Amino acid sequence: MTFQKVVHADYTSNVYVFFLFSALSFILMLRGDFGIGLDGKGIPVSEAEKEESTLSITVVGASGDLAKKKIFPALFALFYEDWLPENFTVFGYARTKMNDEELRNMISGTLTCRVNQRFSTLPDLSFPIPHDLNADTREHLQGKLPHTAKPSYLKNFELLIEAAGKVSNRLFYLSIPPNIFVDVVRSVGLRASSLNGWTRVIVEKPFGRDSESSGELTRCLKQYLTEDQIFRIDHYLGKELVENLSVLRFSNLVFEPLWSRDYIRSVQLIFSEDFGTEGRGGYFDNYGIIRDIMQNHLLQILALFAMETPVSLDAEDVRNEKSLRSMKPLKLGDVIVGQYKGHSKSGRSYPAYTDDPTVPKGSLTPTFAAAALFINNARWDGVPFLMKAGKALHTRRAEVRVQFRHVPGNLYKRNFGTDLDMATNELVLRVQPDEAIYLRINNKVPGLGMRLDRSNLNLLYSARYPREIPDAYERLLLDAMAGERRLFIRSDELDAAWALFTPMLKELEEKKIAPELYPHGSRGPVGAHYLAAKYNVRWGDLGGDDS
Amino acid sequence: MATHSYSLLPSSSSSSIHGQNHQRLNFSSYIAKGVLPAKVSFHSRRNYHLNVVLMQDGAVATPATPVENEAPFKKLRDGILSSVPSTQEFKEAASFDVSKDESTVSITVVGASGDLAKKKIFPALFALYYEGCLPKHFTIFGYARSKMTDAELRNMVSKTLACRIDKRENCGEKIDQFLKRCFYHSGQYDSQENFAELDKKLKEHEGGRVSNRLFYLSIPPNIFIDAVKCTSSSASSGIGWTRVIVEKPFGRDSDSSAALTKALKQYLEEDQIFRIDHYLGKELVENLSVLRFSNLIFEPLWSRQYIRNVQLIFSEDFGTEGRGGYFDNYGILRDIMQNHLLQILALFAMETPVSLDAEDIRNEKVKVLRSMRPLQLEDVVVGQYKSHTKGGVTYPAYIDDNTVPKGSLTPTFAAAALFIDNARWDGVPFLMKAGKALHKKRAEIRVQFRHVPGNLYNQNFETDLDQATNELIIRVQPDEAIDLKINNKVPGLGMRLDHSNLNLHYAARYSKEIPDAYERLLLDAIEGERRLFIRSDELDAAWALFTPVLKELEEKNIIPEYYPYGSRGPVGAHYLAARYNVRWGDLGI
């Protein structure tokens, strides 16, 4: 275990913040009271290393949307919560011409302190500021950002020189379109690797479009990087409740015995967004919801959910178990695809997917999909794992629902009427929004007589934990800095994931399967229900009494 | 859709599952709401497979039916639920239905001027009345030695009647209507003549209809038998049933309890005797079986394999307060443990009954009680509260109570460890704790689960793994709730685990006021549902567990450990728990 930092709810006292911007970089320094529950272990590098090493984080694609909305804010959050080592530098790198001020301006617009951590006083700027950034670096980089020329990537990366000969560790976050991935990786690998520290590269989805392209991408990455330098990020794995999934399962005696086909009837992984592509359909149209959400996010959650108990919580142990090779490749008959169409509601009209100007006319790309997957092992044989993902639906939600089997020989079955199906227990992990865990149980309705009803045993995070929950990117960035690979996807995992989806995706495209159209803002195509019915289960999220 | 497979089974003795209970539900909701025409109800019952039970007894409740396919389910919602009454029950039900208009129920509260009658019995009867749970023709008689007129009784009763918050409408009117059906008869508890007079009055009110009679004996134990004798010989119903509800104490030990039972049985059949233990009528005690038997997630956990210990905790935040006379003769072990807590334990630990029928459940409860080891002296800690001064207020010691003999050694607190020697529970300590004058009022069941074997997250707990086990808490009173303590990741970067609760607070989930235990039990007695009443053999088995230790305590004059009024009780309770390597859940943190 890498992180054992005890996070106390109040450690706002005695914190000073400084923003130090230098050439293409900003340095965020923090002086915190290390007596408040913060010990050396809390920092992702050892005490000794912290003293003598530097960490440079380079966000490649710094002017992009993700960088602005997620990466810089996450780095800042890590900084003010004192998770970053003492000597660190953050570099933005992009083709856009920008000077330091402009970068800082751009970034500062998205930085905020968490509600419970806002500083009550202004930073004390009289505090001595260590400033030892190489002036040359600043000079060289100013205004010399390359436009497109590939060789200049190399040149410019060379210029990222760390301060004063310390052990230099380098983390590159590639937040760039897939077509230039490999070039950038080559440049990083060849010309900007740290000589005396580690170099790690965080890569974003898409990891290819299918087995072949993904295999190709992996091969290219491996020409320049070793497996343990590659950090494929899937931000769903950094979500609080996804992390908690293993805790729930492995540290509670009441759940562990239930985790198998003996007790679980179906598992449902549900993702929905309440908006469409909104003018950003260009990228999406090339991938579709199955590649964009299912093959990565939902499948990763499934793997975490269903894996055998790992030998330990070490990254390799967990990733060995997560390997998806006992799953059956998805069949076309077990998939439903949909696409949203225009819809008018109370005077407002919502556009169809194909109304998006960035989407080709007549596109058949699915914006909704439901699928049934199966795991052929002793634990899960016959248990349907249902996935559902869609855009432009009625609600925004991501959740894992575990539906348990019926009580055999239920003494109380008369009290349920005929619909025994509705009376099974269900464990729901709501990943977003409003993180919660609840267990639906059958309970006697208070009163004379004997009537049963489902009630929830609830844990609503906002009620129990007043602290704001960190963004997934914070956790993942921190893990990457610490070299904790548990939540990143290993090459063989990725191969296995693509092997499950590729045949079906190919078939879907070759046969030009027309998606079932559903109105923008609706509950999605009814086909999803028929798919569930085929396996004699029912979507838990559309039960009506549980919204 | 209502005719699903099990309801098509031919009626036979083996399918009598749960019929009684159903009958009750059926009846009560039918009367209460009158939503379905009588014809439907009756007809369906005759057809066995389409037994209609109304579900809308007013709960807030999310519908247990899905929303898609609205139409068919709506229909179902209005009347599903089949039950297959046995032939016998069918007859009972049918005759009851047919003769409903002609039969009467007379409820006689013997000891009507007593505290329990005023505080619990009359208010419960009134609540049943306005909920529509009482039959059309009913009469309530108060019987006691005090001279009183009907008007005086009504006046006395009316002071304690209240409508539930959600039933305030026409409250005064309902009280008046109810009081008109209340009468009083003054007499001695051992006088055949006085009971014969009562019988005469009852007959007047019954007006020649089929007359069922329920007697609630709310009187001191020394006059029990006389009253039962008189009831049975002079005031039994000729053409309907006669049932007698008896209150604790049911003796002081095996011998006296057996003598009492023997005497009762001279005058009454077993099925006429309704020994009431009002804890069994509590909402969450009733729910215990529902939780266990209708949730797949709990059933597999219900054994020594997963449960490390079970704790049954009762505490009151006041002492005897001038009413120690009765208590001193019994003590907390007899007053709370041997009956209330042991009954809950039996319900908790019993094997799955064949059905929810009274006899099936009581059979299983007796089996558990008989598999238990009699309590050993070293597994008991006794305590007595002493006076304590806090914030200028002085709280008296138990022996400061005028009604308590000086130097009394009667325990006002006890903790005990019991064991069930069967395959399911071997080695699992069942800890009980009951006390008066403690720091809070509470009754709860705590189920502590074992450790996670080979816990991957061990290192996150540091050394205190003991604190990190799951726990299911059923809070019986006050503020009814169910809590499941789980280990959860504390949100945030890093990995720290912590206990959190999955909880269900009744007040938040159910807006209806929870009926008092006496309402349920009275209704059950009227309807002949014996599930929540204690059978003679159960009582014998319960006494057999406690009698030896009680005798030893008294013979050896064991001095109770003194604890201050308003404290958490004697520390001896912790040492008892420690002996079995467990920890009281209620005083943990």
Side-chain angles (χ1 to χ4, degrees):
Chain A
M1 282 308 298
T2 317
F3 306 136
Q4 297 204 325
K5 172 167 169 177
V6 178
V7 183
H8 286 279
D10 91 321
Y11 67 114
T12 57
S13 61
N14 196 19
V15 177
Y16 308 96
V17 186
F18 305 91
F19 292 81
L20 293 180
F21 291 95
S22 62
L24 271 185
S25 72
F26 69 103
I27 302 175
L28 308 164
M29 291 297 306
L30 174 138
R31 286 287 179 277
D33 183 346
F34 280 77
I36 348 175
L38 308 177
D39 53 17
K41 277 193 271 173
I43 310 297
V45 286
S46 75
E47 200 66 41
E49 211 182 330
K50 203 179 81 185
E51 293 297 316
E52 281 139 47
S53 70
T54 62
L55 172 63
S56 305
I57 302 159
T58 307
V59 180
V60 183
S63 55
D65 218 45
L66 185 81
K68 275 188 282 191
K69 284 196 188 147
K70 293 290 187 182
I71 306 172
F72 288 115
L75 286 170
F76 175 60
L78 288 175
F79 162 73
Y80 75 61
E81 293 221 343
D82 194 34
W83 289 97
L84 295 186
E86 193 169 348
N87 301 310
F88 77 96
T89 316
V90 177
F91 286 83
Y93 189 98
R95 288 177 301 194
T96 323
K97 293 264 187 215
M98 219 195 291
N99 62 30
D100 300 349
E101 276 315 312
E102 283 164 345
L103 176 82
R104 287 169 211 153
N105 271 343
M106 179 189 88
I107 292 168
S108 65
T110 60
L111 303 186
T112 53
C113 296
R114 289 197 189 114
V115 178
N116 54 333
Q117 311 248 141
R118 289 219 173 97
F119 307 120
S120 50
T121 52
L122 287 169
D124 177 4
L125 290 170
S126 66
F127 199 86
I129 297 163
H131 183 294
D132 54 359
L133 200 91
N134 189 332
D136 282 350
T137 313
R138 192 186 317 160
E139 200 177 286
H140 276 290
L141 288 175
Q142 233 151 27
K144 288 188 182 171
L145 288 162
H147 261 298
T148 46
K150 282 173 193 167
S152 61
Y153 275 112
L154 302 177
K155 178 121 178 90
N156 283 286
F157 276 122
E158 275 181 277
L159 293 170
L160 302 174
I161 297 160
E162 275 80 17
K166 290 178 175 169
V167 173
S168 58
N169 297 315
R170 296 183 182 175
L171 178 66
F172 292 87
Y173 194 120
L174 306 195
S175 181
I176 48 174
N179 57 329
I180 49 173
F181 254 24
V182 177
D183 288 333
V184 172
V185 168
R186 186 195 305 129
S187 309
V188 170
L190 294 180
R191 308 306 293 271
S193 281
S194 167
L195 295 176
N196 57 357
W198 49 254
T199 302
R200 294 173 189 149
V201 180
I202 298 179
V203 203
E204 276 277 341
K205 73 175 178 181
F207 311 124
R209 295 188 82 248
D210 51 27
S211 289
E212 291 76 35
S213 53
S214 165
E216 179 63 27
L217 184 66
T218 299
R219 206 162 35 250
C220 291
L221 287 174
K222 289 213 174 164
Q223 277 180 19
Y224 309 106
L225 300 170
T226 57
E227 176 74 36
D228 69 357
Q229 292 185 286
I230 307 170
F231 286 70
R232 286 188 196 82
I233 203 167
D234 183 324
H235 70 276
Y236 265 72
L237 292 182
K239 300 236 177 222
E240 187 59 40
L241 268 97
V242 176
E243 271 266 83
N244 198 33
L245 187 59
S246 299
V247 175
L248 266 191
R249 178 179 168 194
F250 294 122
S251 77
N252 288 291
L253 191 73
V254 293
F255 293 128
E256 201 281 328
L258 305 174
W259 227 257
S260 76
R261 65 197 297 274
D262 291 339
Y263 296 106
I264 292 177
R265 185 181 187 176
S266 83
V267 179
Q268 303 181 355
L269 303 142
I270 297 168
F271 169 95
S272 71
E273 276 176 348
D274 54 2
F275 49 88
T277 50
E278 329 266 312
R280 293 160 178 270
Y283 159 78
F284 182 83
D285 195 69
N286 192 26
Y287 289 88
I289 197 85
I290 297 176
R291 290 184 179 91
D292 199 43
I293 303 293
M294 278 192 175
Q295 181 271 343
N296 40 40
H297 304 324
L298 297 188
L299 191 63
Q300 286 297 321
I301 297 175
L302 186 157
L304 263 185
F305 180 94
M307 69 181 179
E308 295 297 308
T309 311
V311 175
S312 79
L313 295 170
D314 288 352
E316 296 318 312
D317 289 331
V318 171
R319 299 200 291 186
N320 286 343
E321 296 304 334
K322 266 175 69 197
S323 179
L324 299 153
R325 288 182 309 143
S326 37
M327 291 184 73
K328 282 188 233 176
L330 190 52
K331 291 200 207 69
L332 191 59
D334 284 337
V335 178
I336 298 295
V337 290
Q339 191 186 81
Y340 64 91
K341 59 181 182 187
H343 180 57
S344 291
K345 205 165 61 181
S346 54
R348 272 195 69 185
S349 79
Y350 298 88
Y353 174 65
T354 50
D355 293 343
D356 189 322
T358 57
V359 168
K361 290 295 150 221
S363 167
L364 295 179
T365 300
T367 61
F368 174 99
L373 291 101
F374 293 87
I375 303 175
N376 282 342
N377 65 16
R379 186 185 288 269
W380 297 115
D381 189 16
V383 177
F385 285 79
L386 297 181
M387 285 182 181
K388 190 164 69 168
K391 286 178 176 289
L393 293 172
H394 71 302
T395 175
R396 171 172 172 261
R397 159 155 44 190
E399 64 188 16
V400 181
R401 302 185 81 100
V402 187
Q403 293 187 342
F404 291 91
R405 292 192 183 278
H406 300 140
V407 175
N410 194 334
L411 285 171
Y412 290 89
K413 64 185 167 188
R414 298 233 158 73
N415 293 291
F416 292 129
T418 47
D419 202 353
L420 283 170
D421 211 19
M422 295 302 290
T424 59
N425 294 128
E426 196 170 15
L427 174 68
V428 182
L429 306 180
R430 192 159 66 220
V431 177
Q432 67 187 32
D434 306 326
E435 290 85 349
I437 301 171
Y438 55 95
L439 185 59
R440 312 195 69 191
I441 57 165
N442 291 307
N443 208 48
K444 182 181 167 305
V445 176
L448 303 168
M450 175 65 78
R451 193 167 75 87
L452 305 199
D453 186 23
R454 292 219 295 187
S455 290
N456 292 347
L457 288 173
N458 273 319
L459 170 64
L460 187 62
Y461 272 54
S462 59
R464 169 74 174 81
Y465 303 106
R467 275 174 61 97
E468 213 173 306
I469 296 173
D471 189 78
Y473 283 92
E474 292 175 39
R475 187 189 320 281
L476 293 168
L477 277 165
L478 184 60
D479 279 356
M481 291 173 210
E484 167 60 82
R485 294 166 179 83
R486 192 162 44 96
L487 301 179
F488 296 91
I489 300 163
R490 210 164 59 183
S491 301
D492 59 336
E493 283 187 87
L494 182 64
D495 289 346
W498 275 120
L500 295 178
F501 280 83
T502 299
M504 182 275 304
L505 285 166
K506 284 213 156 46
E507 214 178 329
L508 208 57
E509 275 154 29
E510 276 159 17
K511 294 191 176 164
K512 295 199 186 317
I513 306 278
E516 194 177 331
L517 298 179
Y518 60 95
H520 195 300
S522 71
R523 289 163 178 250
V526 294
H529 293 292
Y530 289 93
L531 178 65
K534 182 174 164 187
Y535 295 106
N536 201 22
V537 296
R538 206 174 245 282
W539 291 103
D541 61 328
L542 297 178
D545 55 351
D546 178 52
S547 50
Chain B
M1 278 187 93
T3 61
H4 52 292
S5 58
Y6 55 78
S7 62
L8 287 168
L9 289 171
S11 168
S12 68
S13 55
S14 70
S15 62
S16 68
I17 308 170
H18 195 233
Q20 283 285 358
N21 181 38
H22 245 275
Q23 220 43 71
R24 179 183 80 179
L25 220 192
N26 208 335
F27 168 58
S28 59
S29 34
Y30 169 67
I31 297 289
K33 307 292 173 198
V35 171
L36 286 194
K39 214 174 96 198
V40 174
S41 176
F42 180 65
H43 171 79
S44 55
R45 219 175 257 141
R46 287 180 60 99
N47 278 307
Y48 289 45
H49 60 276
L50 219 165
N51 207 340
V52 177
V53 166
L54 299 183
M55 291 180 73
Q56 52 278 70
D57 59 74
V60 206
T62 32
T65 33
V67 150
E68 298 135 292
N69 305 329
E70 275 286 342
F73 282 114
K74 258 223 178 92
K75 255 184 247 159
L76 278 176
R77 199 178 298 162
D78 289 339
I80 347 165
L81 298 213
S82 308
S83 88
V84 188
S86 69
T87 319
Q88 157 98 44
E89 281 156 352
F90 164 66
K91 272 189 218 142
E92 263 182 33
S95 65
F96 191 65
D97 250 26
V98 170
S99 57
K100 198 175 59 174
D101 285 343
E102 288 109 58
S103 76
T104 64
V105 176
S106 305
I107 300 157
T108 307
V109 181
V110 183
S113 53
D115 219 43
L116 185 82
K118 275 188 280 191
K119 283 195 190 149
K120 292 290 186 181
I121 306 172
F122 286 110
L125 286 170
F126 173 61
L128 290 176
Y129 168 71
Y130 76 60
E131 293 261 342
C133 294
L134 293 184
K136 190 175 161 199
H137 298 289
F138 74 93
T139 314
I140 292 171
F141 261 88
Y143 185 99
R145 284 177 301 198
S146 334
K147 296 271 177 225
M148 230 196 288
T149 61
D150 289 349
E152 281 164 344
L153 174 87
R154 286 171 192 167
N155 188 34
M156 178 190 88
V157 168
S158 68
K159 285 179 192 142
T160 58
L161 302 186
C163 295
R164 284 190 197 124
I165 298 156
D166 54 344
K167 296 270 162 95
R168 279 283 150 81
E169 243 179 275
N170 306 325
C171 188
E173 202 177 303
K174 284 182 207 156
I175 288 178
D176 289 344
Q177 285 165 1
F178 175 76
L179 289 175
K180 277 186 202 149
R181 317 277 282 262
C182 294
F183 303 91
Y184 184 73
H185 184 74
S186 164
Q188 297 299 312
Y189 296 127
D190 57 356
S191 159
Q192 304 260 12
E193 296 90 71
N194 292 160
F195 272 90
E197 288 157 27
L198 173 71
D199 180 60
K200 216 173 127 201
K201 282 194 184 171
L202 288 174
K203 282 208 174 85
E204 279 167 30
H205 288 283
E206 285 158 2
R209 296 186 184 92
V210 173
S211 57
N212 298 313
R213 293 183 183 176
L214 178 66
F215 291 87
Y216 195 120
L217 304 194
S218 181
I219 47 175
N222 57 326
I223 45 177
F224 255 22
I225 302 296
D226 288 334
V228 167
K229 189 165 97 188
C230 298
T231 301
S232 149
S233 54
S234 306
S236 275
S237 165
I239 39 169
W241 48 254
T242 301
R243 293 173 189 150
V244 180
I245 297 180
V246 203
E247 277 276 342
K248 74 174 178 181
F250 311 124
R252 294 189 82 248
D253 51 26
S254 289
D255 297 341
S256 54
S257 166
L260 183 66
T261 298
K262 205 171 142 214
L264 285 173
K265 288 212 174 166
Q266 276 180 18
Y267 308 106
L268 299 170
E269 297 296 315
E270 176 74 35
D271 69 357
Q272 291 185 285
I273 307 171
F274 286 69
R275 285 188 196 82
I276 204 168
D277 183 324
H278 71 276
Y279 264 73
L280 293 182
K282 300 235 176 223
E283 186 60 40
L284 268 91
V285 176
E286 271 265 81
N287 198 36
L288 186 59
S289 299
V290 175
L291 267 191
R292 177 178 168 194
F293 295 122
S294 77
N295 289 291
L296 189 74
I297 52 169
F298 292 127
E299 202 280 328
L301 305 174
W302 226 258
S303 75
R304 65 196 297 273
Q305 203 182 344
Y306 296 107
I307 292 178
R308 185 181 187 178
N309 77 92
V310 180
Q311 304 179 356
L312 303 144
I313 296 168
F314 169 95
S315 70
E316 275 177 349
D317 53 2
F318 51 87
T320 49
E321 328 272 315
R323 293 160 180 269
Y326 160 78
F327 182 83
D328 194 71
N329 192 25
Y330 289 89
I332 199 88
L333 282 146
R334 290 185 180 90
D335 198 44
I336 303 292
M337 278 193 175
Q338 180 272 345
N339 39 39
H340 305 323
L341 298 189
L342 190 63
Q343 285 296 321
I344 296 175
L345 186 155
L347 262 184
F348 180 94
M350 69 181 180
E351 295 297 310
T352 311
V354 176
S355 80
L356 294 170
D357 284 355
E359 298 317 314
D360 288 331
I361 289 180
R362 299 200 289 186
N363 285 344
E364 294 306 331
K365 278 170 66 196
V366 174
K367 275 157 69 180
V368 170
L369 293 173
R370 292 187 43 218
S371 317
M372 290 177 74
R373 256 182 257 168
L375 187 53
Q376 306 294 309
L377 188 61
E378 65 265 30
D379 284 337
V380 179
V381 170
V382 291
Q384 192 185 83
Y385 63 91
K386 59 181 182 187
S387 78
H388 180 56
T389 306
K390 204 166 61 180
V393 184
T394 300
Y395 298 91
Y398 173 65
I399 48 169
D400 293 342
D401 190 321
N402 295 328
T403 57
V404 169
K406 290 295 151 220
S408 168
L409 296 179
T410 301
T412 61
F413 175 97
L418 291 106
F419 292 89
I420 305 173
D421 289 333
N422 67 16
R424 188 186 287 268
W425 297 115
D426 188 16
V428 177
F430 284 79
L431 297 180
M432 284 183 181
K433 189 163 70 168
K436 286 178 176 288
L438 293 171
H439 71 304
K440 61 168 61 160
K441 173 169 182 274
R442 159 155 47 190
E444 64 187 16
I445 306 165
R446 303 183 82 101
V447 186
Q448 294 187 341
F449 292 91
R450 292 191 183 277
H451 300 139
V452 175
N455 195 334
L456 284 171
Y457 291 88
N458 254 350
Q459 47 196 310
N460 292 291
F461 292 128
E462 318 230 319
T463 47
D464 204 357
L465 282 170
D466 212 20
Q467 293 286 314
T469 59
N470 294 129
E471 195 170 9
L472 175 68
I473 302 150
I474 298 167
R475 193 159 66 223
V476 176
Q477 68 185 31
D479 305 326
E480 291 84 350
I482 301 169
D483 279 337
L484 180 62
K485 263 183 155 176
I486 57 165
N487 290 306
N488 208 48
K489 183 182 165 303
V490 177
L493 302 168
M495 176 65 78
R496 194 164 72 89
L497 304 198
D498 187 21
H499 258 142
S500 288
N501 287 349
L502 290 174
N503 50 40
L504 171 64
H505 291 287
Y506 273 54
R509 169 72 175 81
Y510 302 105
S511 63
K512 247 181 85 129
E513 216 172 305
I514 297 174
D516 189 79
Y518 283 93
E519 292 175 38
R520 187 189 320 281
L521 293 167
L522 277 164
L523 182 60
D524 279 355
I526 293 168
E527 291 177 359
E529 167 60 81
R530 293 166 180 84
R531 192 162 44 95
L532 301 179
F533 296 91
I534 299 163
R535 211 164 60 183
S536 302
D537 55 346
E538 279 188 88
L539 183 63
D540 290 347
W543 276 120
L545 295 176
F546 279 81
T547 299
V549 80
L550 286 167
K551 283 215 158 43
E552 218 177 325
L553 271 173
E554 276 155 29
E555 277 160 15
K556 294 188 175 166
N557 284 326
I558 305 275
I559 295 167
E561 195 177 329
Y562 293 96
Y563 60 97
Y565 192 116
S567 71
R568 287 161 181 253
V571 293
H574 291 293
Y575 289 92
L576 178 65
R579 189 167 158 200
Y580 294 105
N581 201 21
V582 297
R583 203 177 248 281
W584 290 104
D586 61 329
L587 300 177
I589 314 150

